[in-house]
Amino acid sequence: MVVLGIDPGYAIVGYGAISYRNNNFTPISFGSIVTESDLDFNRRLEIIYDDLSEVIKRTKPDAMSIERLYFQNNAKTAIMVAEARGVILLTAQRLGVPVYEYTPLQVKTAVTGYGKAKKPQVMEMTRRLLKLKDVPKPDDTADALALAITHTQSAGSGLRKFMIDKGIK
């Protein structure tokens, strides 16, 4: 199974594609899509669409794992992230990649086994599970890899298999 994890944003979109076979993780490709702050916002969304399309075509994922949005204090920022997230979901839909959403609590639990783990703990476990020399930078990239790992852990459960078979996301 190849899973593409996505940490959504409009300035930085972290991505991480991993292969999961026989209880082993293999990183395929990871990095970030960066848009410049001085660009028109619609142009930034277009860059996200174009670059993510290329990532999907290159990595050929069986599934996309994305962080479920939660509102922050800044409504304007939340709306802009939601718009970028919509472009990300559209990209997956157009290229035929099923999307699964996970909360930060689900990610922490899947990666570290502890739902109250701190961000550095999640990042270090992600590095270890993927046998990487260093924690990927920027943080958005490490978060995306953690999201991909989360799907591999959730996809193996009986409930998740049932949901997939029934087309429930």
Side-chain angles (χ1 to χ4, degrees):
M1 168 191 317
V2 174
V3 179
L4 177 62
I6 298 290
D7 183 30
Y10 58 91
I12 301 174
V13 176
Y15 69 86
I18 64 170
S19 173
Y20 182 67
R21 302 224 191 294
N22 302 319
N23 290 323
N24 288 310
F25 298 101
T26 305
I28 296 172
S29 176
F30 54 88
S32 57
I33 299 166
V34 179
T35 65
E36 299 300 324
S37 62
D38 61 341
L39 292 176
D40 175 72
F41 188 71
N42 292 329
R43 175 67 182 126
R44 294 173 87 174
L45 295 177
E46 181 181 33
I47 290 167
I48 291 168
Y49 179 85
D50 290 344
D51 289 4
L52 184 57
S53 293
E54 289 303 313
V55 169
I56 290 172
K57 289 173 186 174
R58 186 176 69 245
T59 60
K60 299 174 179 49
D62 299 302
M64 178 186 285
S65 176
I66 189 167
E67 186 174 41
R68 184 179 303 269
L69 261 191
Y70 57 94
F71 283 95
Q72 305 158 341
N73 293 335
N74 186 338
K76 182 179 177 186
T77 299
I79 290 169
M80 293 171 80
V81 171
E83 289 175 349
R85 191 174 182 280
V87 167
I88 292 164
L89 297 175
L90 174 64
T91 307
Q93 178 67 28
R94 296 288 297 257
L95 294 173
V97 180
V99 177
Y100 300 89
E101 299 177 83
Y102 298 96
T103 65
L105 176 65
Q106 290 172 310
V107 174
K108 291 174 184 180
T109 302
V111 175
T112 70
Y114 179 58
K116 294 183 180 180
K118 301 292 183 202
K119 189 173 186 87
Q121 293 170 302
V122 176
M123 294 171 83
E124 177 58 20
M125 278 305 298
T126 298
R127 184 196 68 74
R128 288 182 185 191
L129 289 169
L130 296 175
K131 300 173 184 74
L132 298 171
K133 182 179 175 194
D134 298 307
V135 173
K137 296 290 181 201
D139 290 357
D140 310 78
T141 300
D143 292 346
L145 288 165
L147 279 151
I149 291 168
T150 299
H151 184 71
T152 67
Q153 303 305 301
S154 300
S157 72
L159 176 60
R160 176 53 79 185
K161 285 181 184 173
F162 173 79
M163 290 172 69
I164 291 171
D165 292 343
K166 297 295 180 188
I168 303 167
K169 293 183 187 173

